[in-house]
Amino acid sequence: MEREQAHRIRQDLNQKMVFLSGPRQVGKSHLARTLSVGFEKPVYLNWDNAEDRKIMLAQAWSVQTDFLVLDEIHKMEGWKNFLKGIWDTRPPQMRLLVTGSARLETFRQSGDSLAGRFWHHRLLPLTPAETTWAGLHQSLEHHLIRGGFPEPWLTNLPQDAQRWRRQYQDGLIREDVLSFENIHQLKSMSLLVELLRQRVASPISYQSLSEDLGISPNTVKHYLEILEALYIIFKVHPHHHNIARALTQQPKVYFFDTGLVPDDGAALENLTALALLKELYRREDQDGLPRTLRYLRTKEGQECDFVVVEEEIPRLMVEVKTSERTLSANLVYFHEKYGLPGVQVVADLRREEHRLGLKVVQALPWLEALPDLDWTTPLAQTPKN
């Protein structure tokens, strides 16, 4: 299947080099091959391949190359200067795509800045909105169990999806983490991932995790940063008008692979978080406006699962339920106090309800229609956490 972002990336390739980042096996190489259609002399090179690495270092591709893909190039020492030199001396017909299974923006090696020379796109797992766009409709259960990585999502055999996930999870820890940084306590990292799987959708405590793992809170925080940089997890922080204060409060952790979440309720919240994050990334990559996914929580304990924040202005609350048909009391509280529109997405729902700027909707159709959602109505005032 062609990914939804392909058209926009084609347009951006005509202006600048394009950075395409995302989790391993999310479909970046497949998308690169899709984008190569229409070029006469495309070249794909992967830093992890010894022969390709030699070609990269020698810049030995043909001068007639019209589409050059450099995969995992951020693993090269001085990669930013390398790319700058290629871009500034490229032949006029050449388009350049740089891909990687880590967040390219997190790498801060010394060297000249690439500012002004690239557009950035983030490719995330399949969500109901994208599969619907592609004409592939599946049940909510399918999305929850299979996750959004193309191979397990598309396979007809459930056992093949399970085999893929086991190998994928093992490879993430043993290969990606070790290649990212020399970590001696590999067992602690593996156990941390298992603990996080059980705590999806709940605020996490670095102190509590450190006690469970027998390592320091700072080490736990560092390990989480690595898992986040490798697109294994993403954090959702509580919203606060002071950004620094929000970052010091307990975040919630979600997985890019929803299939790793064992609890049905937490899996639905994880899928919703991923779908919202992906939509925020899509809009931000297109118009440049900063957007963030956060959650709401007061000192008294009222909490809303998610709030969409655009340019530091809260726009929309989202509460996730598996079967609750009445409006969440917390959703009503935040709406009445701050005037913020909200939606409660429910997995098992017979009839939708709309009242006073709040909606109770069926989860799957709402997730499928997420790109068409308008959240332009701002919050009247910022909650004080």
Side-chain angles (χ1 to χ4, degrees), residues 204 206 221 237-238 240 242-251:
I204 62 167
Y206 298 131
K221 186 176 181 179
H237 292 272
H240 193 276
N242 184 311
I243 298 176
R245 181 177 173 184
L247 294 177
T248 62
Q249 296 178 351
Q250 292 180 335

Side-chain angles (χ1 to χ4, degrees), residues 28 33 59 90 126 140 202 235 252 263 272 292 303 310 334:
K28 297 185 297 297
R33 288 193 293 270
Q59 300 187 31
R90 72 194 185 284
L126 300 170
L140 180 62
S202 299
K235 296 197 290 272
K252 297 194 290 185
D263 178 77
T272 304
T292 311
E303 182 175 317
E310 183 178 273
F334 284 112

